[in-house]
Amino acid sequence: MNLQAELQKTKEEFSGQIPEEVSQIMQSATETLIQSGIVQTCLKEGDKMPAFSLPNARNEIVSSDKLLKEGPLVINFYRGGWCPYCSLELKAFQDILPEITKLGAQLVAISPNLPDKSLSSIQKDALSFQVLSDLQNKVARQFGLVYTLDAKLQPLYKQMGIDLSEFNGDESYELPLPATYVVDSDGIIKLAFADVDYTKRLEPDKVIDMLNELKDLS
């Protein structure tokens, strides 16, 4: 699966369904986010990953320290179950999960969604890896990924049936940049990807390449 090709297809289909003025507002919001410099300040390769303990979809606490004792960790930050681009990405990671596991690593996906909304994502997309709830984006904030949805976009999202307060349980309109990290068993980030354009994601085969490199070094 070529993830970016699928994302581009979805983007083109969506772009053909919305008015030009809405498209311009979205483009302007992306440009503002670029100018904020957020990508330059989020965690990069060589940084130490902040430890976390987060609830999964069944409200069981999952600890990064415990996960790292078993090997490398792949972390995917996504905006929420309401985002079609995120769903495509999560499905792409599900496809390579056997390879991730074979290489001795584990995969977790993290969003600000409430646990019951995360459970809906698992059921809808048939995911078999841990999907964690980062309420109020506390962990994403430590990674430097958090931003507030542009004020002009907030009512547009509601018009499209996306009520972030319902998904996230707060009125902050804060979201994480979509991002993927590969962390070695010592908690050091070996691969980092984040982009202000939520239609762009890391190709999953890049994750496999990095896990193979870590395997060769072990």
Side-chain angles (χ1 to χ4, degrees):
M1 174 184 182
N2 185 317
L3 176 58
Q4 196 54 52
E6 292 295 321
L7 294 169
Q8 182 63 29
K9 180 180 177 182
T10 298
K11 180 180 180 179
E12 291 171 358
E13 290 174 351
F14 177 72
S15 297
Q17 297 171 358
I18 60 173
E20 178 61 26
E21 58 267 27
V22 173
S23 178
Q24 290 178 357
I25 291 172
M26 290 181 166
Q27 290 174 15
S28 176
T30 299
E31 183 60 33
T32 298
L33 203 50
I34 291 171
Q35 293 175 359
S36 75
I38 186 172
V39 169
Q40 283 69 49
T41 58
C42 59
L43 294 188
K44 301 289 192 302
E45 288 93 346
D47 290 335
K48 180 78 172 180
M49 182 200 78
F52 62 79
S53 293
L54 294 171
N56 64 15
R58 293 174 177 78
N59 267 311
E60 302 163 336
I61 299 300
V62 176
S63 161
S64 60
D65 287 342
K66 184 175 180 181
L67 293 172
L68 289 173
K69 287 179 181 178
E70 300 181 27
L73 181 60
V74 181
I75 305 170
N76 176 251
F77 286 93
Y78 70 104
R79 303 196 303 161
W82 50 269
C83 172
Y85 302 96
C86 297
S87 292
L88 282 171
E89 183 180 34
L90 293 176
K91 288 177 182 177
F93 272 109
Q94 178 65 38
D95 288 344
I96 65 164
L97 185 59
E99 293 178 79
I100 291 174
T101 303
K102 185 177 180 180
L103 289 166
Q106 296 190 71
L107 167 65
V108 298
I110 300 174
S111 86
N113 284 180
L114 295 164
D116 63 327
K117 297 299 183 182
S118 295
L119 182 59
S120 297
S121 295
I122 290 172
Q123 294 169 338
K124 178 184 69 175
D125 297 327
L127 306 177
S128 56
F129 51 84
Q130 294 279 14
V131 179
L132 309 180
S133 291
D134 180 22
L135 300 183
Q136 300 177 339
N137 287 290
K138 291 179 180 178
V139 174
R141 203 178 312 279
Q142 291 180 283
F143 278 77
L145 299 170
V146 180
Y147 70 98
T148 301
L149 186 68
D150 190 283
K152 292 181 180 179
L153 285 179
Q154 294 175 17
L156 292 178
Y157 270 47
K158 282 196 172 183
Q159 290 173 22
M160 291 186 288
I162 302 168
D163 187 343
L164 291 183
S165 62
E166 179 183 339
F167 275 90
N168 298 348
D170 64 44
E171 301 285 344
S172 70
Y173 283 94
E174 288 186 335
L175 294 171
L177 291 182
T180 299
Y181 292 90
V182 177
V183 183
D184 69 14
S185 56
D186 293 321
I188 303 301
I189 296 171
K190 294 298 184 179
L191 177 65
F193 175 91
D195 201 307
V196 297
D197 184 347
Y198 56 80
T199 70
K200 296 179 180 178
R201 310 294 170 101
L202 181 71
E203 285 293 337
D205 60 2
K206 301 295 185 184
V207 169
I208 299 303
D209 290 345
M210 176 52 66
L211 290 176
N212 272 310
E213 286 186 33
L214 294 177
K215 188 77 171 179
D216 290 341
L217 293 173
S218 63

